[in-house]
């Protein structure tokens, strides 16, 4: 197998590691590309391409995260990861862990960790790397890696998401949710929302967003029922699509340009959290991006048809 073939075979794993460490599709793709450049340039033959490439992409991702954290501290409004529509890495034996670890809820929690804690948690908890491999990847002793993992688990356990519904149940609930959303059915929406449901948006100061999260089934249902039928009046539609391993949708304008993504957290048979990503900088990898401000102005002018 050539060096290029070795890299291409491992590329899905490398991207999935980088994305979970960084929470950014674009930065993860850059980290993977830089990993290839270093691998292609090294004069020695790696005894284990998987170990060499995983170590390299982890070190690059940790360095990028350290600088990214400074930018995120100045971020306008809630910060969410860039939405991931398809995780390229699949492992049937760890499918549940992979799906949960890439959820918006999990990635937001990972922001609490230091870069090294995050790298150790991802490599061990998600991808089941051995401690010798992890120690090499972050250039620390195995004992130090174990301590980092303990601290990371402690931070994560308090708010750890637990998506106990099966995928078929989540998809069925999401289908009912989008039917009610399309109809502007307040009662139908309320029945699908948890009593303490929260609706939160990430516009990054570059898109219309709520001043604060909207909480409570009644408040969220009424807001959704008021806003989304009006979007239909200006030809905004949506397609159901898994977002970060959870039920969700991609919203597009009349020309197919991406307006926003929505991810739903489902818990105990109800929708617990709705997370919208509207920041155009975080949507470019999904497709051409719509002019969210123009659509916002159009929906404000739109009136419901007379009965």
């Amino acid at each position: 197998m050539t060096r290029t073939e070795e890299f291409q075979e491992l590329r899905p794993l490398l991207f999935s590691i980088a994305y979970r460490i960084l929470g950014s599709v674009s930065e993860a793709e850059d980290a993977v590309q830089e990993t290839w450049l270093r691998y292609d340039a090294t004069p020695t033959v790696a005894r284990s391409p998987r170990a060499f490439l995983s170590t390299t992409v982890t070190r690059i991702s940790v360095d990028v995260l350290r600088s990214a954290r400074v930018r995120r501290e100045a971020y306008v409004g809630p910060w969410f990861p860039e939405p991931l529509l398809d995780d390229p890495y699949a492992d049937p034996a760890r499918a549940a862990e992979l799906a949960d670890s890439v959820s918006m809820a999990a990635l937001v929690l990972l922001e609490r960790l230091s870069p090294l804690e995050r790298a150790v948690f991802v490599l061990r908890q998600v991808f089941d790397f051995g401690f010798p491999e992890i120690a090499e990847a972050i250039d620390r002793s195995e004992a130090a890696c174990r301590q980092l993992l303990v601290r990371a688990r402690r931070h994560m356990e308090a708010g750890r998401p637990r998506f106990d519904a099966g995928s078929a149940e989540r998809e069925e609930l999401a289908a009912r949710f989008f039917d009610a959303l399309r109809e502007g059915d307040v009662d139908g929406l309320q029945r699908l929302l948890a009593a303490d449901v929260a609706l939160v948006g990430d516009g990054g100061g570059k898109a219309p967003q709520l001043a604060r999260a909207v909480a409570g089934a009644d408040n969220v249902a009424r807001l959704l029922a008021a806003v989304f039928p009006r979007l239909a009046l200006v030809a905004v539609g949506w397609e159901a699509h898994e977002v970060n391993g959870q039920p969700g949708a991609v919203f597009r304008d009349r020309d197919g340009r991406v307006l926003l993504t929505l991810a739903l957290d489902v818990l105990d048979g109800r929708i617990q959290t709705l997370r919208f990503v509207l920041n155009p900088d975080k949507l470019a990898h999904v497709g051409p991006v719509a002019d969210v401000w123009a659509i916002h102005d159009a929906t404000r002018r739109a009136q419901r048809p007379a009965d």
Side-chain angles (χ1 to χ4, degrees):
M1 185 179 291
T2 67
R3 187 167 287 193
T4 301
E5 290 170 337
E6 291 171 343
F7 177 80
Q8 291 300 333
E9 183 176 272
L10 290 164
R11 190 182 190 112
L13 171 64
L14 303 179
F15 173 85
S16 294
I17 290 171
Y19 178 76
R20 285 165 174 80
I21 293 174
L22 292 166
S24 165
V25 172
S26 55
E27 289 176 345
E29 289 174 342
D30 289 345
V32 171
Q33 182 61 26
E34 178 63 24
T35 298
W36 161 246
L37 294 175
R38 295 187 189 184
Y39 187 49
D40 187 46
T42 185
T44 58
V45 176
R47 286 178 297 178
S48 168
R50 180 180 184 272
F52 179 90
L53 291 167
S54 299
T55 292
T56 304
V57 80
T58 298
R59 290 181 177 180
I60 293 169
S61 298
V62 166
D63 286 343
V64 172
L65 181 60
R66 286 180 173 133
S67 60
R69 288 170 71 91
V70 176
R71 297 193 303 273
R72 290 175 191 177
E73 288 174 0
Y75 195 79
V76 178
W79 179 92
F80 294 156
E82 290 182 6
L84 182 67
L85 302 190
D86 298 290
D87 189 352
Y89 180 72
D91 179 355
R94 302 186 65 78
E97 292 95 329
L98 289 169
D100 284 357
S101 68
V102 83
S103 71
M104 289 273 182
L107 291 171
V108 169
L109 277 176
L110 282 169
E111 287 292 301
R112 301 179 181 181
L113 309 183
S114 72
L116 288 183
E117 288 172 346
R118 186 163 179 165
V120 170
F121 186 89
V122 167
L123 292 176
R124 179 62 179 174
Q125 200 75 13
V126 180
F127 295 100
D128 202 28
F129 277 62
F131 281 105
E133 296 174 284
I134 298 172
E136 175 67 20
I138 69 166
D139 195 25
R140 296 291 189 277
S141 68
E142 289 186 41
C145 291
R146 292 179 187 275
Q147 292 175 348
L148 286 166
L149 181 62
V150 168
R151 291 204 297 269
R153 283 175 172 166
R154 187 181 303 126
H155 285 302
M156 293 292 288
E157 282 172 2
R160 184 77 175 158
R162 50 184 183 90
F163 303 118
D164 51 2
S167 60
E169 182 183 347
R170 292 199 303 265
E171 290 170 8
E172 190 273 336
L173 188 148
R176 290 163 55 203
F177 169 81
F178 286 113
D179 285 343
L181 187 64
R182 187 174 290 107
E183 298 298 324
D185 181 359
V186 175
D187 291 338
L189 288 167
Q190 284 180 324
R191 287 192 292 270
L192 300 171
L193 302 174
D196 58 349
V197 64
L199 182 153
V200 193
D202 174 351
K206 299 183 178 184
Q209 64 187 65
L210 300 168
R212 60 181 64 85
V214 178
D218 183 64
N219 292 333
V220 171
R222 292 185 182 281
L223 177 63
L224 292 172
V227 171
F228 285 92
R230 186 162 291 189
L231 283 175
L233 295 177
V234 294
V236 169
W238 60 82
E239 61 201 38
H241 201 296
E242 197 171 81
V243 177
N244 287 77
Q246 305 301 319
V250 179
F251 289 70
R252 300 180 187 272
D253 70 7
R254 68 174 73 244
D255 298 315
R257 294 172 299 190
V258 180
L259 175 64
L260 60 89
T261 62
L262 166 63
L264 305 174
D265 291 348
V266 177
L267 180 64
D268 296 331
R270 294 287 187 274
I271 296 168
Q272 188 71 41
T273 311
L274 301 92
R275 291 185 172 87
F276 293 92
V277 176
L278 303 97
N279 185 342
D281 294 344
K282 294 186 175 185
L283 299 172
H285 65 282
V286 179
V289 180
D291 184 342
V292 64
W293 286 106
I295 292 174
H296 173 68
D297 292 341
T299 57
R300 293 185 65 181
R301 293 192 301 268
Q303 299 294 324
R304 290 181 182 274
D307 292 334

